[in-house]
Amino acid sequence: MSDRFLPIRRRDLLASSAASLALAPISLAKGANIAADALSVVKPVNLKINGADRLLTLDPRTTLLDALREHLKLTGTKKGCDHGQCGACTVIVNGQRINSCLTLAVQHAGDEVTTIEGLGAPGKLHAMQAAFVEHDGYQCGYCTPGQICSAVAMLGEIARGVPSHVSDDLGKKMTSSNPEIRERMSGNICRCGAYSNIAEAISQVAGA
Amino acid sequence: MRSFTYERAKTPQHAAAVVAANHGAKFIAGGTNLLDLMKLEIETPTHLVDVQDLDLARIEDTSEGGLRVGAFVSNTALSAHPLVMRDYAVLTRAIQAGASGQLRNKATTGGNLLQRTRCPYFYDTNMPCNKRSPGSGCGAIGGFSRQLGVIGVSDMCIATYPGDMANALSVLDAVVETIKPDGTARAIPIGDFHRLWGDTPQNETALQRGELITAVVLPKPVGGKHIYRKVRDRASYAFALVSVAAIIMPDGSGRVAFGGVAPKPWRSEEADAALPQGAGTVAAKAFASATPRDDNRFKIALAERTLAGVIAEARS
């Protein structure tokens, strides 16, 4: 895109948003019993990412996803829709899969975050990563880190007895049948349509 | 997203007092709906009060034989609680019919009750919307209304309450417990919690400014067959066109609430009483005062057929 279509430059935008940031606490402070340290425009946040403590200083607006990608350069976690609809940003926080785009980094001080980089690496793949390779559980690969993080935590949910929309009997042990896997993975969209192979890869790890 | 400041509240009363005293302050729990709306600048809070440290994530027995569900209990945890699965299965079924696994892990009991409509005109900031921008008009009336409300709506707003969980809470006669900014507690029957739009569609619940949901109480189990049936445009991860929450007793009596049709879970004594007469009679009672649009008139017939399926399932 040519600059002549962009009378406002990105640098100007950044400067103006920084100015509005600086003003925010002044309007708030008027009638309030908000604690002084809450009014800071940046917050120190200690996150445990893939087992390592990482101290960041963040604008409270920073989502966990942007903290991972832009501040920690952990770009394995992907930004798809940025609205919780596609699942590309799925990470595991304290053992639970969540959409990292729909949560603020400051909400996760002290939490343990596992990203695709923490699950495995070339040469020491997590079983789910290896199964995705074996079954061609992707084409372009963009949704894959989210699919894999989601699948790993999803099998944990089955093991803990979390039911699903397609579980017939709430009194019985939850299974990892193909319909169960498909329903439980519905928060992860694959634009290439690799679903059947994704389901096979997950089934293999589940031992189904 | 507009800038804001952030704090973690230490006590429920402090959280309520801060939100009450600061115009522009809001609670944040799971954040799955609020942050989505903040990115679109439909919600523009200037201060967020995080309620995660308030010890509201427990499910406890009540002395009346029911359960008290903390407001911060996640949708996943609530739906998977053994006593909920056994005694309040309609609640498990309703929760599992909504959203995705990731969202249910983060979304909370209190936040789910407060989720905002998915009316496309509410989401599109180029369009008039009396709920988003009071007095600006309603783009949905005369617009595309296929997903929107057929009953309990007004000339100002035809949006629906979008959730699934509350439909189950409706037939369970749940009670919403709150703390007000002055520290006093309040118990609000679920049927009184969500408002009809009337002339003020921006006011969606009975909560006062700063009033914080602390728990949802489920009365002693009533038995019966617990069924939640949701009809939507795809098999998973979509909002309801119509949903039915029902508890049906062996004699055919019971309770029924319809979702996806109104500003709140749509339940009435007349409709409940008609259950033994079948789905046609129930739907006639429940939708007697309906004001559908051409695009969404189908919802009334769909609700009747969905209930017929529920009654057949209860008998099987």
Side-chain angles (χ1 to χ4, degrees), chain A residues 28 32 83-84 101 167 186 188, chain B residues 5 22 36 39 93 102 236-237:
Chain A
L28 260 178
H83 286 277
C101 75
S167 305
S186 70
N188 291 84
Chain B
T5 49
N22 292 276
D36 183 26
K39 289 181 181 192
R93 293 299 190 186
Q102 290 95 319
S236 184
Y237 197 16

Side-chain angles (χ1 to χ4, degrees), chain B residues 178-192:
Chain B
T178 69
I179 184 167
K180 291 196 280 189
D182 64 6
T184 57
R186 181 156 81 122
I188 308 169
I190 186 69
D192 298 334

Side-chain angles (χ1 to χ4, degrees), chain B residues 133-179:
Chain B
S133 181
S136 64
C138 173
I141 295 174
F144 296 99
S145 59
R146 179 173 175 271
Q147 297 166 290
L148 303 177
V150 297
I151 193 163
V153 293
S154 75
D155 293 339
M156 300 285 280
C157 179
I158 59 170
T160 57
Y161 173 76
D164 292 295
M165 184 189 81
N167 302 321
L169 295 180
S170 173
V171 293
L172 290 168
D173 285 334
V175 175
V176 181
E177 292 187 341
T178 69
I179 184 167

Side-chain angles (χ1 to χ4, degrees), chain B residues 249-260:
Chain B
M249 298 302 171
D251 65 0
S253 68
R255 306 169 178 184
V256 59
F258 295 93

